[in-house]
Structures are given as structure tokens and as C-alpha cells.
Amino acid sequence: MKFEDIVSISGMPGLFKILTKRPDGLIVEPLGEGKSKFVSNRVHFFSPLDSITIYTETDSLELVKVFQEMQKKEGEVKPPSAKDSADKLKAYFSDVVPEYDKERVYISDIKKVLKWYVDLKKHNVPFELEETASEAEDADKPKKEEDKTAKAKKPAQKKVEKPVTAKATKAKKKPDNKKNKV
């Protein structure tokens, strides 16, 4: 099971593994269950975990990196239950992500992250993102080839066109040659 295959679905509790994509929705399997079901995209909104970020003071932090930090800190500090007090949850989250934005990250968000972390650990989902083939190829290319291609491509020159001015013309009123007949 890959981290990229896990989604949260609006209106449905828990996390789901994507089995198949369809034009009108997804066929998913709840984590830990062997039953698959169809979920329509007309009714539900899908949030892949690899696309979720946490607000920080400077930028955003990917959820997978938050999970990795939680995993590192697990030996030092045990993650609290999502049912613990708000102060305890904030203190733990400050230990894990010290730069998180305290105004935009709500207690409900912290609870959700904790629940997801416990659920993913329970089902042995690795907290890693796999590199795509194109990213791996880009990392292998030497910089010299990139420099050559950048020099070979010259930006297209813009054509300068003269502005078009409209001349005002007066329409001449034609006399009405027809006589009104009564």
C-alpha cells in the first residue's frame, strides 16, 4: 500500500485506499476492511493525503512530512489521543511542527491529523512519497545538458504592430423622395 493511494472522503469517516478510478467517482476500500465500494464524485469530495498541507508561519508543510516528524518524535513523546484536551493537543503539535500557524490550524485539524496518523500506523502505510519516473530522470540529468538546451532555445521576438485608428465618418441623411399619400 502506498501513501499516494490513500484518500479522505468528505462525509465518510476514516481513510480509504483507491482501488480504481472511474470518470464518475472512485472505487475505494476502507483501510482494514476487505470490502470495496463505489463512491460518486457528484456527492463526495476526495482529498488525497499526499496533496494535503499544513499552514506554517512562512509557507505550507506537506502532511507526509508532518507524519515523518511525528514518527521521529514518537520515541521521545507519545502522541496524545484525539480526545485529549485542546491545550495538550496544541502542545504536542507545537513539539512536532513548531512553526505551524496557530491562527489557521484549528484543533479539529490537529485531531484529524492525529487520527490519520494512528490509522496509517495501524495499517503499516509507509510515510514516504514515491518519485515519479520523470522526477527520477530529471535528477539524473547533468546540468550541462540543461544549459545547452536553455541556450539553444531563444525567446520569440514580438511583432510590433501599428495602432489602428478609426476615422469618423458622417452619414449623410438622404432626403425622403416619397410623398406621403393620403
Side-chain angles (χ1 to χ4, degrees):
M1 189 176 326
K2 300 177 197 171
F3 190 78
E4 294 87 1
D5 295 338
I6 308 297
V7 293
S8 172
I9 302 174
S10 65
M12 299 176 78
L15 295 173
F16 300 85
K17 177 184 175 187
I18 299 173
L19 298 177
T20 309
K21 296 178 183 180
R22 292 181 43 186
D24 54 347
L26 295 174
I27 296 177
V28 296
E29 175 183 297
L31 288 183
E33 296 180 22
K35 297 178 182 178
S36 62
K37 59 177 152 184
F38 173 75
V39 181
S40 173
N41 61 7
R42 292 183 181 191
V43 179
H44 300 282
F45 181 74
F46 306 106
S47 299
L49 293 191
D50 63 340
S51 68
I52 296 175
T53 59
I54 301 293
Y55 291 117
T56 63
E57 296 293 333
T58 55
D59 200 14
S60 324
L61 184 64
E62 294 176 355
L63 185 63
V64 70
K65 292 182 181 177
V66 173
F67 287 153
Q68 289 169 348
E69 286 297 316
M70 290 172 76
Q71 193 171 24
K72 286 178 190 175
K73 299 271 184 176
E74 196 169 312
E76 303 167 14
V77 181
K78 184 181 176 190
S81 169
K83 296 178 182 179
D84 285 343
S85 69
D87 293 333
K88 190 173 182 180
L89 294 174
K90 286 181 182 179
Y92 172 76
F93 210 69
S94 291
D95 285 344
V96 175
V97 186
E99 69 274 3
Y100 87 95
D101 190 345
K102 290 159 183 63
E103 292 179 8
R104 295 193 291 178
V105 177
Y106 301 109
I107 293 297
S108 60
D109 299 328
I110 296 171
K111 287 180 180 183
K112 197 180 301 185
V113 167
L114 285 169
K115 286 179 185 177
W116 288 348
Y117 176 76
V118 169
D119 205 19
L120 291 171
K121 282 230 15 131
K122 180 179 167 185
H123 294 96
N124 298 321
V125 177
F127 300 123
E128 297 173 353
L129 296 175
E130 289 188 8
E131 280 189 52
T132 60
S134 63
E135 289 175 353
E137 289 174 8
D138 288 344
D140 293 339
K141 283 184 180 179
K143 283 190 171 183
K144 291 178 184 177
E145 288 182 22
E146 292 176 12
D147 292 339
K148 288 178 185 177
T149 56
K151 289 179 183 177
K153 295 179 183 178
K154 292 183 180 178
Q157 293 180 349
K158 294 181 182 178
K159 292 182 180 179
V160 180
E161 295 182 14
K162 294 179 182 178
V164 178
T165 56
K167 293 182 179 179
T169 57
K170 292 183 180 179
K172 293 182 180 179
K173 197 171 191 180
K174 294 181 181 179
D176 196 13
N177 292 336
K178 296 182 182 177
K179 294 182 180 179
N180 292 337
K181 295 182 183 178
V182 181

